[in-house]
């Protein structure tokens, strides 16, 4: 079994033990990242590590590893994984002080650090051919969705509702605006534009979202408007897709009882996902 990186050591997963006083366990006081590798080459390692640093900074935890140390950990996890496509999970919590107290421990204690790898399952060709279903749910999350916190209760409840409805994703709606998925960013093609919610406290700034926007800008692929999408406009969009590190650009062809466009993954999605696949090969390391 592939070893995990745990608090500075490489150990078997069953040997990595977290204290019952760990603040990640008690409070969900920690942050995480999911970093993909395709053909054993990391995609977006730098922006993912930048986002980790930012999440840690926002909650007042010092980054426990230097950039190079993180890259070394990622390289070893990718090399040791049983499959060529890999999903790396990183979690850092505020550690395990002796006493449970809401306030941050003062002085700080050592953070708990985990990095592990698992095989990355590609989205099935059948789903890519027909498109996936989504449902809309109220966004019950907190006011700092830009922090990649391990507090995922609203996200997992939303995703569970989607699974129960036979859907692949739940689209989170706040004050009539469709913002993002439970674990993805949201894009809609409306008239001639590609629309996605702007960065801010109500969405997580997805690495895939940004990579796609950078590629679109570089190659002038389609006009982009960064604005929240009113829910009725989403239902009437020509195309809808969601993006994430593990599912790339996933076409959505049904939302609740609405058929999106002609019910098939659209021309813009096909064009962008082909361009994105090529871009990934170009920039992966
Ligand atoms: C709430 C949320 N939005 C967006 C994303 C997509 O982010 P990324 O493209 O960095 O995987 C995720 C990924 O888990 C997420 O949890």
């Amino acid at each position: 079994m592939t070893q995990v990186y745990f608090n500075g050591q490489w150990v078997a997963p069953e040997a990595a033990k977290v204290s019952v006083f760990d603040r990640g366990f008690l409070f969900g006081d920690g942050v995480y990242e999911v970093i993909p590798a395709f053909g054993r080459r990391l995609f977006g390692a730098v922006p993912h590590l930048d986002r980790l640093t930012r999440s840690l900074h926002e909650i007042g935890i010092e980054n426990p590893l230097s950039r190079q140390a993180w890259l070394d950990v990622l390289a070893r996890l990718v090399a040791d994984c049983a499959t060529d496509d890999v999903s790396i999970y990183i979690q850092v919590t505020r550690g395990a002080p002796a006493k449970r107290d809401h306030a941050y421990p003062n002085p700080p204690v050592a953070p708990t650090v985990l990095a592990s790898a698992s095989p990355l399952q590609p989205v099935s060709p059948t789903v890519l051919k027909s498109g996936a279903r989504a449902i809309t749910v109220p966004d019950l999350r907190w006011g700092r969705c830009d922090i990649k916190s391990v507090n995922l209760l609203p996200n997992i409840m939303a995703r569970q509702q989607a699974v129960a409805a036979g859907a692949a994703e739940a689209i989170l709606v706040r004050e009539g605006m469709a913002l993002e998925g439970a674990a993805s960013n949201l894009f809609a093609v409306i008239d001639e534009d590609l629309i996605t919610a702007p960065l801010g406290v109500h969405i997580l700034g997805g690495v895939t979202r940004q990579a796609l926007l950078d590629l679109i800008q570089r190659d002038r692929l389609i006009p982009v408007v960064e604005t929240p999408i009113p829910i009725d406009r989403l239902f009437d969009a020509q195309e809808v897709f969601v993006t994430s590190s593990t599912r790339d650009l996933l076409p959505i062809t049904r939302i609740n009882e609405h058929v999106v466009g002609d019910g098939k993954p659209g021309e813009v999605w096909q064009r962008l996902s082909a361009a994105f696949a090529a871009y990934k090969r170009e920039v992966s390391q």
Side-chain angles (χ1 to χ4, degrees):
M1 182 83 187
T2 315
Q3 293 189 316
V4 301
Y5 176 85
F6 183 63
N7 294 340
Q9 315 272 319
W10 288 93
V11 295
E14 57 278 11
K17 299 261 194 291
V18 179
S19 162
V20 293
F21 295 114
D22 192 274
R23 292 177 61 98
F25 175 65
L26 292 177
F27 297 120
D29 184 1
V31 298
Y32 76 106
E33 274 301 323
V34 176
I35 308 178
F38 303 94
R40 297 201 192 266
R41 290 160 70 210
L42 288 160
F43 177 65
V46 167
H48 278 285
L49 292 175
D50 284 347
R51 186 171 65 189
L52 176 69
T53 302
R54 180 178 181 279
S55 294
L56 286 167
H57 176 78
E58 291 301 308
I59 67 165
I61 297 179
E62 202 177 314
N63 195 333
L65 269 69
S66 68
R67 177 57 53 100
Q68 191 54 51
W70 276 122
L71 290 171
D72 292 346
V73 167
L74 299 182
R76 176 158 171 183
L77 286 168
V78 170
D80 289 356
C81 191
T83 55
D84 288 346
D85 292 350
V86 187
S87 173
I88 292 176
Y89 180 77
I90 292 177
Q91 178 169 323
V92 180
T93 80
R94 205 182 305 276
K99 183 170 175 297
R100 182 183 179 281
D101 182 353
H102 284 63
Y104 301 172
N106 187 14
V109 298
T112 303
V113 185
L114 168 69
S116 63
S118 58
L120 175 52
Q121 306 286 355
V123 175
S124 88
T126 328
V127 172
L128 289 181
K129 196 148 181 259
S130 60
R133 287 191 49 182
I135 58 166
T136 57
V137 299
D139 188 353
L140 302 178
R141 297 174 304 165
W142 67 324
R144 288 303 307 273
C145 301
D146 56 317
I147 298 173
K148 202 162 168 62
S149 151
V150 294
N151 279 274
L152 287 174
L153 208 40
N155 306 61
I156 64 177
M157 288 166 71
R159 179 59 78 79
Q160 186 55 34
Q161 273 178 269
V163 169
E169 184 56 303
I171 295 169
L172 307 176
V173 180
R174 188 188 288 253
E175 293 174 355
M177 298 293 177
L179 295 175
E180 64 175 338
S184 58
N185 291 111
L186 176 67
F187 289 81
V189 179
I190 299 177
D191 301 328
E192 304 301 308
D193 297 324
L194 182 66
I195 311 209
T196 193
L199 295 179
V201 293
H202 292 318
I203 70 161
L204 180 77
V207 170
T208 321
R209 172 191 179 280
Q210 194 58 51
L212 179 64
L213 293 179
D214 291 347
L215 170 67
I216 289 171
Q217 196 184 25
R218 188 191 77 175
D219 294 353
R220 299 170 189 272
L221 297 177
I222 185 171
V224 173
V225 181
E226 292 185 55
T227 184
I229 307 165
I231 188 73
D232 50 333
R233 296 203 76 201
L234 182 73
F235 296 145
D236 284 343
Q238 290 106 282
E239 297 185 30
V240 173
F241 61 87
V242 294
T243 62
S244 69
S245 293
T246 51
R247 303 208 276 192
D248 287 340
L249 280 62
L250 178 70
I252 301 293
T253 46
R254 250 162 229 277
I255 306 175
N256 302 342
E257 71 285 6
H258 303 268
V259 173
V260 179
D262 65 1
K264 299 198 199 83
E267 179 272 323
V268 172
W269 171 79
Q270 293 194 10
R271 214 155 42 84
L272 293 182
S273 71
F276 192 74
Y279 185 64
K280 264 184 11 184
R281 284 193 293 274
E282 195 187 309
V283 303
S284 293
Q285 290 167 337

